[in-house]
Amino acid sequence: SRATDEPRIDGRLDDAIWRSATRLTEFVQQSPVEGAPASEETEVFIAYDDDNLYFGLHAHYSDPSMVRANRVDRDQAGRGDDTISIYFDTFLDQQRAYVFSINGYGVQGDSLLGGSGGGGGGGGGRGGFSGVPRGDRSWDALFDSGGTLVEDGWTAELAIPFKSLRYPSVGNQAHRWGFQIARGIRGKDETVVWAPVSRNVSGFLPQMGLLEGMSGLSTSRNLEILPTLTAVQVGSLDTTTGAFPGDSQPEGGLNLKYGLTSNLTLDATFNPDFSQIESDRPQIEVNQRFPLFFSELRPFFLEGQEIFSLPGPVNFVHTRTIVDPRYGGKVTGKVGKTTLGLLVANDEAPGKLDDINDPGFGQSANVLISRLRYDLYSESHLGAIVTDREFADTHSRLAGVDGNFRLSDTTSIGFRAITTQNRDVDREDTSRLNDTYGNMFDVGMTSQGRNLNYFIAGYTIAPDFNTDVGFVRRRDIKAVTSRIGYRWWPESWLINWGPEASYGRNYDFEDVLEDEQRSAGVNFSFAKNIRFGTRVNRDMERFGGINFGKTSYSTNLFVNTLNAGETGSFRLSVLRRR
């Protein structure tokens, strides 16, 4: 319903707006017992005005000591707390959803949830998942929230600005969005949803409900301007005079974000300052055969990042390769059924060389990344990608097409065909330039049903496949991977159980077997948060012309406990290798 007054976002449902708001109370279990009534009552109140979408939440508990809520960092509450998550598929295309979540203390979580896609790098999901997908948590939105513990559980309020979302323009008509609400009750290992979710259908987005009737939304454009100013002073002690002369180096920068339309966003930056970005998580670098991947953390590059992302064994766009941008611009969004992304940047890092006689000294690299994707139907699309990096007389170019097709409620197939062309300086004769070409092909099929689930994929990456704009962990690969599992659902004291097996092997382009993996196991999920599984793995890895074999046996027992309002877990793992 349309609101006449704004609520005070403090987590308490005492504002007048909630007395006339739309109220949702009918929730059903997704797990452990699919379709059964929720064991705890949930109330959701919905209202909106020209600028914001408002939610009031009341999570009831028959035993309030069961509440799990902690004051944790943003996006971390979903790991162990009871939360309520709200999903919006604003284009109603079953391709992507915005996710907003909150716990009993008002800790925010936000993410972008994409549709499924088959490919050699993903490996396919396992059938019969419990819980709901959270999506990519690197996406951050501006919204207000508040939460508080009450006598019978917890309450919360959210105000989500329409400016934080992208949605199509519908003129004077009412908007129709895909919509879902999910609540996690950790103490019972229970997930309840507003729109029923069936294990007979693969994917979460196709099973969302509808949010409709909103009209007259504000057409004002989002404008953010963030200037930066930094200064560094360096100097050394003058031992003859005792003075400390210094040289100051002030620098200014500017970041700008502007909503061209409700579904297109322009980002621009000049001399950005990334000094406030969180540091990378540590990774072990010792005895690593292949390069390590570090995720992008800089806000300018995170906006619309999901548009440039393709599933598979290669990251075709890895903006960490743009190390020190002097300036950059980006347009991302969706027009009709076409999702588009265009990024240009000037990177000064390649020209910061020690040898002033090097032809590249003082020069900068120009980067172009473009992406188009046309949505066909639910979780299905055709797309194209082009990247180009020019530096001095060298370049690195990539072009390719991709697609994903949902064949049935449970099965989908995806493919990628990519080619690269690189011009680099010859290592032995620096006056010469060498051109190299490489291809990558990837195709995979995934099926996730109530009982049977399987995945099979094959991909090849040529020895000369390379892109200076992406991240290629390993080349010279001809690989096939597969997995199959079956799951029974007694949904009693034994929730589900079933066996699974996987097999994969990898040859190089000289048809030498480099890796082989075989595994088999069985898993059990019991009531009261108890899980048990056992597995045997037989692997072979070739290194230095020698085959190294390894057999391992593992058994895992996990118990997630809840006593007197405290949370805890117990895990026992036994691993034997020979």
Side-chain angles (χ1 to χ4, degrees):
S1 62
R2 176 173 281 274
T4 56
D5 297 310
E6 295 183 6
R8 180 182 178 184
I9 306 300
D10 57 5
R12 303 183 182 278
L13 304 181
D14 54 3
D15 302 278
I17 183 177
W18 306 126
R19 290 194 288 270
S20 58
T22 300
R23 180 171 174 261
L24 304 179
T25 59
E26 297 182 1
F27 288 78
V28 297
Q29 294 184 32
Q30 181 196 353
S31 64
V33 183
E34 178 189 315
S39 65
E40 304 289 350
E41 182 184 357
T42 304
E43 293 181 276
V44 176
F45 303 89
I46 308 174
Y48 77 99
D49 56 23
D50 290 348
D51 300 311
N52 298 287
L53 189 55
Y54 302 106
F55 287 87
L57 313 173
H58 193 163
H60 297 267
Y61 290 80
S62 54
D63 178 7
S65 67
M66 192 180 296
V67 175
R68 297 191 179 187
N70 293 278
R71 293 183 173 91
V72 293
D73 293 336
R74 185 188 185 101
D75 291 332
Q76 299 303 310
R79 294 181 178 274
D81 288 357
D82 294 349
T83 60
I84 294 180
S85 299
I86 303 169
Y87 298 75
F88 301 107
D89 177 6
T90 56
F91 287 89
L92 199 57
D93 55 10
Q94 300 175 2
Q95 302 286 345
R96 184 181 68 174
Y98 298 97
V99 187
F100 297 86
S101 64
I102 193 170
N103 74 350
Y105 283 118
V107 176
Q108 295 182 352
D110 44 19
S111 60
L112 280 176
L113 176 65
S116 61
R126 301 175 185 269
F129 64 90
S130 63
V132 292
R134 291 183 291 179
D136 179 8
R137 290 177 293 178
S138 66
W139 178 75
D140 290 322
L142 295 176
F143 68 104
D144 292 331
S145 66
T148 184
L149 302 184
V150 294
E151 184 177 350
D152 66 339
W154 55 273
T155 60
E157 294 175 306
L158 294 87
I160 303 173
F162 291 114
K163 291 181 181 180
S164 294
L165 305 174
R166 292 178 180 174
Y167 52 89
S169 176
V170 296
N172 295 325
Q173 300 179 2
H175 290 266
R176 299 180 74 245
W177 295 355
F179 181 64
Q180 179 67 287
I181 301 174
R183 175 187 173 188
I185 307 172
R186 296 279 181 172
K188 295 185 175 182
D189 196 20
E190 180 178 333
T191 301
V192 302
V193 292
W194 171 69
V197 175
S198 171
R199 299 188 185 101
N200 291 322
V201 178
S202 172
F204 186 75
L205 298 181
Q207 304 187 69
M208 293 174 65
L210 279 177
L211 176 65
E212 51 188 351
M214 294 187 301
S215 60
L217 306 187
S218 174
T219 58
S220 62
R221 301 289 176 252
N222 184 29
L223 176 62
E224 297 179 20
I225 300 176
L226 179 62
T228 60
L229 179 63
T230 59
V232 177
Q233 183 169 345
V234 295
S236 60
L237 177 65
D238 188 334
T239 57
T240 59
T241 64
F244 197 90
D247 179 25
S248 61
Q249 301 173 0
E251 285 195 31
L254 181 67
N255 296 288
L256 180 144
K257 181 190 295 291
Y258 179 63
L260 299 174
T261 66
S262 61
N263 54 344
L264 282 176
T265 301
L266 167 68
D267 289 88
T269 186
F270 176 77
N271 195 30
D273 175 27
F274 298 129
S275 61
Q276 302 301 314
I277 306 303
E278 63 179 300
S279 59
D280 293 312
R281 293 186 177 182
Q283 297 190 53
I284 298 175
E285 298 179 345
V286 180
N287 294 330
Q288 295 292 334
R289 293 182 59 189
F290 308 108
L292 299 176
F293 178 82
F294 290 91
S295 300
E296 180 61 84
L297 301 172
R298 298 169 293 180
F300 171 77
F301 294 108
L302 287 176
E303 174 67 34
Q305 176 182 247
E306 75 285 351
I307 293 175
F308 300 99
S309 176
L310 280 71
V314 174
N315 292 82
F316 303 108
V317 175
H318 183 41
T319 50
R320 289 287 293 262
T321 59
I322 306 174
V323 179
D324 186 14
R326 182 63 176 174
Y327 59 81
K330 179 167 56 176
V331 175
T332 54
K334 187 171 186 178
V335 179
K337 291 187 176 183
T338 302
T339 301
L340 59 92
L342 177 66
L343 185 151
V344 294
N346 179 272
D347 187 7
E348 295 182 311
K352 295 181 177 180
L353 304 171
D354 295 330
D355 185 3
I356 62 174
N357 296 317
D358 191 298
F361 181 84
Q363 298 194 43
S364 58
N366 292 308
V367 178
L368 167 69
I369 303 172
S370 60
R371 167 72 169 154
L372 288 174
R373 191 186 73 190
Y374 184 79
D375 296 334
L376 300 172
Y377 52 94
S378 173
E379 295 188 329
S380 304
H381 71 267
L382 282 172
I385 186 170
V386 174
T387 69
D388 182 27
R389 180 182 184 271
E390 307 278 341
F391 176 66
D393 295 326
T394 67
H395 61 249
S396 177
R397 297 167 181 168
L398 176 148
V401 295
D402 70 291
N404 194 76
F405 309 96
R406 189 180 180 94
L407 305 181
S408 68
D409 284 345
T410 60
T411 306
S412 64
I413 186 171
F415 79 93
R416 278 143 294 280
I418 310 291
T419 185
T420 62
Q421 190 263 326
N422 291 268
R423 176 171 294 171
D424 298 300
V425 176
D426 190 290
R427 294 184 178 181
E428 297 181 358
D429 183 359
T430 57
S431 64
R432 293 179 51 190
L433 296 174
N434 293 330
D435 288 343
T436 57
Y437 301 84
N439 298 315
M440 192 223 74
F441 301 101
D442 175 26
V443 62
M445 174 179 285
T446 302
S447 182
Q448 300 178 56
R450 174 184 296 273
N451 303 112
L452 177 66
N453 61 88
Y454 62 85
F455 168 77
I456 184 169
Y459 62 93
T460 66
I461 305 177
D464 290 329
F465 181 88
N466 188 47
T467 170
D468 290 345
V469 179
F471 178 85
V472 186
R473 177 173 171 82
R474 188 175 181 182
R475 301 170 180 82
D476 194 11
I477 294 176
K478 294 190 294 184
V480 60
T481 60
S482 61
R483 183 188 55 77
I484 187 169
Y486 198 90
R487 194 170 293 258
W488 287 272
W489 295 85
E491 295 184 329
S492 58
W493 61 270
L494 175 61
I495 304 300
N496 65 70
W497 75 280
E500 64 178 13
S502 64
Y503 180 76
R505 64 192 314 168
N506 164 43
Y507 292 88
D508 64 17
F509 270 63
E510 294 181 354
D511 291 327
V512 176
L513 182 63
E514 295 287 339
D515 305 275
E516 187 175 27
Q517 303 89 29
R518 289 166 287 183
S519 70
V522 61
N523 297 290
F524 301 83
S525 293
F526 301 93
K528 301 184 182 298
N529 291 314
I530 300 173
R531 295 178 178 85
F532 173 80
T534 184
R535 172 176 295 275
V536 59
N537 295 273
R538 174 62 178 170
D539 301 329
M540 188 280 290
E541 182 177 4
R542 185 177 179 84
F543 180 73
I546 302 174
N547 292 345
F548 294 88
K550 178 181 67 176
T551 301
S552 61
Y553 307 88
S554 61
T555 300
N556 293 279
L557 173 65
F558 177 79
V559 180
N560 203 4
T561 61
L562 178 68
N563 296 310
E566 298 181 356
T567 61
S569 62
F570 168 76
R571 183 186 298 271
L572 173 65
S573 298
V574 178
L575 175 65
R576 180 188 177 191
R577 292 177 177 174
R578 64 178 181 87

